[in-house]
Amino acid sequence: MKNISILGATGSIGQNTLDLISRERDKFKVIGLTGDNNIELLAESAIKFKADVVATANDSKFHDLKDLLSEHKIEVCAGINGLLEVASRQAEWVMSAIVGSAGLQPGLRALEAGANLALANKESMVAAGPIMKKMSEAKGVKLIPVDSEHSAISQVIRGEERNSLSKIIITASGGAFRHLTKDELVDVTPKQASKHPNWSMGKRITIDSASLFNKALEVIEAKEFFDFKESEIEVLIHPQSLVHAIACFCDGGMKAHIGPPDMRHAIAYALYEEKRFKLTLEDVDLAEVGMLNFEKPDLNKYPALKLGFDVVRQGGLAGAAFNAAKEEALDNFLALKLSFLGMADVVRATMEELLSKNMLSSKVELEAVMDIDLQARSIAKTFVNKF
Ligand code: NDP
């Protein structure tokens, strides 16, 4: 039996992970689950899966969560210390599925405690890839990609020699607004941006998919996971969301990973540590699909993507700053204080200011990452009213 924990258990990835666990209950023991505001779902999941310990990130929900679990022998904790407590418990495998930079410390703690970490929380790799990798190496544990593109990359390069690889292509659906022109994006709302044509995901990543900020994060994540240079990563718009990554080799050969747009494939590949598990999900019927289309993204319409490539080139603390500025911009878009297109303007202006002050070149260490995160958010705030 494998001991597992899920950080961000109440979210889309967390619940999909529990769905997979429920198919083979005798193979897994759930140690800990965490959530934030949705304590009802957290309690329900903890009871159903007989978790030992749960934590809500929200301190003010501690007593309500305790009440919901009063008839069960499940330990309850709260706040960042609660999350770290759950992440520290002895688990062999931990899913890191908190959204945003809040996932960094708990994920890192799980690695430190000796768990193999399945990483959906791309933000921790973007902000602190070298720290995550160093910890996994020091502890001799695996860092397993869960993002569908990165899971696909790991599958297409498996067994290949690194120096035979000339380029990797990751795909983007184009999100909610792929049929709109840049001019038509001026007035779009968070509600419109929250509807993804192919994937069912949390709200923030769905909006990031419409702006291609999500793809920008994934470009940086690809660099951190697999040590690609900027020139070795390409993004293509692929509206069907069936091809997730393509490896291009020096002899002209290409290997593509095709799978349905259902995160349970990538999660299962991570859960079974790169072994195949029979999933009763709908297969892709290629004859019915008929055509797979690819096109180059319009960087004028999707300025966020260019910013992501800039970060890959800049290195250092650029990833942490970019992610923090992006989170601040997204918060303001959600609060109707910033337009959809204004998000990229705010992030670009923030990055330019940090670069001009030479604030991104320090070594990637946890304290420096946390510090630049705060600085980037505070600078981004000052630009919100200007765009
Ligand atoms: P959701 O918004 O659906 O879930 C987020 C989870 O994080 C919830 O459990 C939420 O708790 C918790 N959470 C939110 N804020 C905090 C906080 N400040 N501290 C601690 N916990 C918090 O997100 P997704 O499941 O869609 O995404 C999770 C991660 O996986 C993201 O990094 C995303 O980029 C990545 N990812 C997601 C994919 C998808 O298909 N959904 C695909 C690839 C990557 P609560 O709900 O209780 O408030």
Side-chain angles (χ1 to χ4, degrees), residues 352-387:
E352 279 170 5
E353 180 158 336
L354 289 165
L355 272 172
S356 71
K357 292 180 175 165
N358 196 25
M359 290 169 73
L360 300 178
S361 52
S362 311
K363 209 165 161 216
V364 183
E365 283 169 349
L366 196 55
E367 207 175 313
V369 166
M370 310 293 261
D371 185 51
I372 202 72
D373 179 288
L374 290 177
Q375 307 247 25
R377 281 172 205 269
S378 115
I379 293 171
K381 268 192 187 77
T382 66
F383 285 116
V384 166
N385 294 332
K386 296 186 180 148
F387 294 105

Side-chain angles (χ1 to χ4, degrees), residues 7-16 34-39 41-42 56-58 83 96-100 102-103 106 119-124 146-149 199-206 208 214 217-218 221 263:
L7 311 170
T10 49
S12 165
I13 293 284
Q15 289 293 304
N16 273 322
T34 80
D36 188 20
N37 289 319
N38 194 350
I39 54 167
L41 183 57
L42 182 59
T56 162
N58 188 336
L83 300 183
S96 169
I98 290 172
V99 65
L119 196 77
N121 176 260
K122 64 191 81 184
E123 297 88 345
S124 43
V146 172
D147 229 334
S148 56
E149 295 76 2
W199 296 89
S200 162
M201 309 185 285
K203 189 172 185 176
R204 296 182 75 92
I205 183 176
T206 304
D208 284 345
N214 180 50
L217 293 176
E218 289 176 6
E221 187 188 4
M263 281 309 292

